[in-house]
Amino acid sequence: MKRLADRVRKLSVSLWTLIVPPTVWAAHFLFSYLWAALRCAKVGRFAEFPTLYAVGTVMALVVILAAGAVAWVQQRTPGDDPPHEQGTAVDRLRFLAKSTLLLAGLSFVAVIFTAAPVVFLTDCR
């Protein structure tokens, strides 16, 4: 019974990890297009140096990978007994963890595809 209570407590961690990947992608999306607009408008000299953009992109990817790693650990429960009923707390936890893995994977790819045009942007006509 204590083990089930621990699982249910971890359910709140799954909810946060479910929200994190798409939120990080959305923030990176806005950051990317702001960066591209500033770079094309030649506003400020910081846009000439892609270090800030690279750091922001790497941070976004690391946060998404961390959320995916937490979900991976939560959905892999080899010691648990197989659930006998659908809709138990363990089933919900596994569903949220697998959903987080899917969202983390999609968000990781989305960040890469969002960063690619900004990195290779050369002419702003």
Side-chain angles (χ1 to χ4, degrees):
M1 188 65 158
K2 180 173 171 38
R3 199 166 164 192
L4 180 61
D6 290 339
R7 286 276 176 203
V8 172
R9 193 168 354 131
K10 287 184 180 178
L11 186 64
S12 64
V13 174
S14 292
L15 289 174
W16 282 108
T17 58
L18 185 66
I19 295 167
V20 166
T23 304
V24 170
W25 168 77
H28 183 267
F29 180 82
L30 294 174
F31 176 65
S32 294
Y33 284 93
L34 174 66
W35 186 270
L38 291 175
R39 190 169 161 197
C40 284
K42 297 183 181 17
V43 176
R45 297 194 42 87
F46 73 92
E48 296 175 8
F49 303 103
T51 307
L52 180 64
Y53 183 74
V55 168
T57 300
V58 168
M59 284 176 43
L61 293 174
V62 167
V63 169
I64 290 171
L65 283 175
V70 169
W72 177 261
V73 168
Q74 287 182 350
Q75 67 100 19
R76 296 187 69 228
T77 53
D80 285 348
D81 296 328
H84 299 288
E85 300 175 19
Q86 291 182 345
T88 64
V90 174
D91 286 339
R92 287 189 292 272
L93 178 64
R94 286 182 179 159
F95 173 76
L96 285 174
K98 288 179 182 176
S99 299
T100 300
L101 278 173
L102 178 65
L103 276 174
L106 291 173
S107 297
F108 188 86
V109 171
V111 165
I112 290 173
F113 280 121
T114 302
V118 177
V119 169
F120 295 112
L121 181 68
T122 56
D123 192 9
C124 295
R125 284 188 266 169

